[in-house]
Amino acid sequence: MTHASRTGSKALARALLAGLLPLTAFPLADARAQDNPFDQFPVIIQCKYNETYHAFYISRVSQDGIATYVASERIAGTITLDGKAKAIGGEGGGSCVGKTLTELRASGQAYDIKR
């Protein structure tokens, strides 16, 4: 991986995160449940797949605690708070598959919104 590609992928993730930050300004506290599952997962997870960097954004969290992340080109993956990332569909994977949330955060691939 070259420095330019790492810089470009981080810039993309930051741009996506910056676009989502204004959403946190809305008064959602009253409408939000005390145990909001979205607070426990990163908003964006950055992964390399087929020599391309993708920003996967959180789409949903099911009742059983499985978070689904989606990116462009109809690719997606899942992860739980204590499990490892898995690709949905195809045989492939990327640089996120098999990593825990702790590992993704430590490697700088997970982006949280701080409130």
Side-chain angles (χ1 to χ4, degrees), residues 63-106:
Q63 274 188 316
D64 54 354
I66 299 172
T68 302
Y69 286 81
V70 295
S72 60
E73 301 181 28
R74 302 170 61 98
I75 54 178
T78 60
I79 196 166
T80 60
L81 289 175
D82 58 355
K84 296 185 177 192
K86 299 176 186 173
I88 295 177
E91 301 269 329
S95 63
C96 294
V97 172
K99 290 184 180 178
T100 65
L101 285 175
T102 301
E103 292 169 325
L104 290 167
R105 286 183 171 115

Side-chain angles (χ1 to χ4, degrees), residues 51-74:
E51 300 303 315
T52 302
Y53 290 90
H54 297 272
F56 289 80
Y57 61 90
I58 192 164
S59 175
R60 68 179 182 179
V61 179
S62 64
Q63 274 188 316
D64 54 354
I66 299 172
T68 302
Y69 286 81
V70 295
S72 60
E73 301 181 28
R74 302 170 61 98

Side-chain angles (χ1 to χ4, degrees), residues 3 5 18 21-22 24 34 45 52 67 70 76 83 95-96 107-108:
H3 178 68
S5 65
L21 285 177
T24 63
Q34 198 111 27
I45 297 177
T52 302
V70 295
S95 63
C96 294
S107 67

Side-chain angles (χ1 to χ4, degrees), residues 8 13-14 20 32 35 39 46 50 56 67 69 92:
R14 283 189 190 112
L20 293 172
R32 207 174 47 222
D35 295 328
D39 289 341
Q46 169 200 323
N50 285 341
F56 289 80
Y69 286 81

Side-chain angles (χ1 to χ4, degrees), residues 5-27:
S5 65
R6 184 182 311 150
T7 303
S9 63
K10 285 187 178 186
L12 172 63
R14 283 189 190 112
L16 287 170
L17 190 57
L20 293 172
L21 285 177
L23 297 177
T24 63
F26 292 109

